[in-house]
Amino acid sequence: MKAGAVDFLRKPFRDDELLQCVERALIRSAEHRRRNAEKDETRRLLDLLTPREFEVMQLVITGMLNKQIAGELGTAEKTVKVHRGRVMQKLGVTSVAELVMFMQRAGLASAAKHKTKV
């Protein structure tokens, strides 16, 4: 009955019921616009990353250590530290926890699945 509708009213309805429905719809719309703007901003910042920085970031948010990431990517640990630092700087985060939350806001946290080598 409410497929796609914000709310519904049964006839006859009172004026205050209509106003409450409109108010709820406006609040919901404002929240939706805020979330979309936040997601757009996070994705804009992600576009600043190089492909390698993005790759390192995806491994960082899985909980891997720099040494593990270096082994996974076939690079030096120092190189991973540099990429990781640039990621944090470009995205304006100061911890891995903030980085994970940032990725969640972007809608990409679940996309950072890591396959371990056997």
Side-chain angles (χ1 to χ4, degrees):
M1 208 168 154
K2 289 177 68 170
V6 173
D7 214 335
F8 69 96
L9 293 169
R10 291 193 175 105
K11 291 183 181 180
F13 57 85
R14 298 187 322 260
D15 292 345
D16 64 322
E17 290 175 319
L18 175 61
L19 291 174
Q20 288 173 358
C21 287
V22 170
E23 183 178 2
R24 284 192 299 269
L26 290 172
I27 290 169
R28 180 185 241 164
S29 176
E31 178 62 22
H32 182 71
R33 283 193 320 274
R34 185 196 62 74
R35 279 193 312 268
N36 281 342
E38 190 175 77
K39 185 182 272 189
D40 289 346
E41 175 62 12
T42 57
R43 290 190 180 217
R44 184 191 69 75
L45 290 172
L46 286 172
D47 285 342
L48 299 175
L49 301 180
T50 66
R52 185 57 128 190
E53 289 168 346
F54 191 83
E55 193 174 16
V56 168
M57 178 199 57
Q58 288 180 303
L59 296 174
V60 167
I61 67 172
T62 65
M64 291 179 74
L65 303 172
N66 290 343
K67 186 175 184 176
Q68 294 170 314
I69 295 169
E72 179 74 20
L73 299 178
T75 188
E77 187 176 350
K78 184 167 177 71
T79 304
V80 171
K81 288 179 184 180
V82 170
H83 287 309
R84 186 175 178 155
R86 287 181 183 156
V87 166
M88 304 296 261
Q89 182 183 20
K90 287 179 179 181
L91 301 182
V93 297
T94 58
S95 69
V96 175
E98 281 185 69
L99 183 60
V100 170
M101 289 187 306
F102 181 93
M103 292 299 286
Q104 288 173 335
R105 283 193 308 268
L108 298 174
S110 60
K113 300 208 181 190
H114 172 64
K115 297 178 185 173
T116 56
K117 291 183 178 179
V118 181

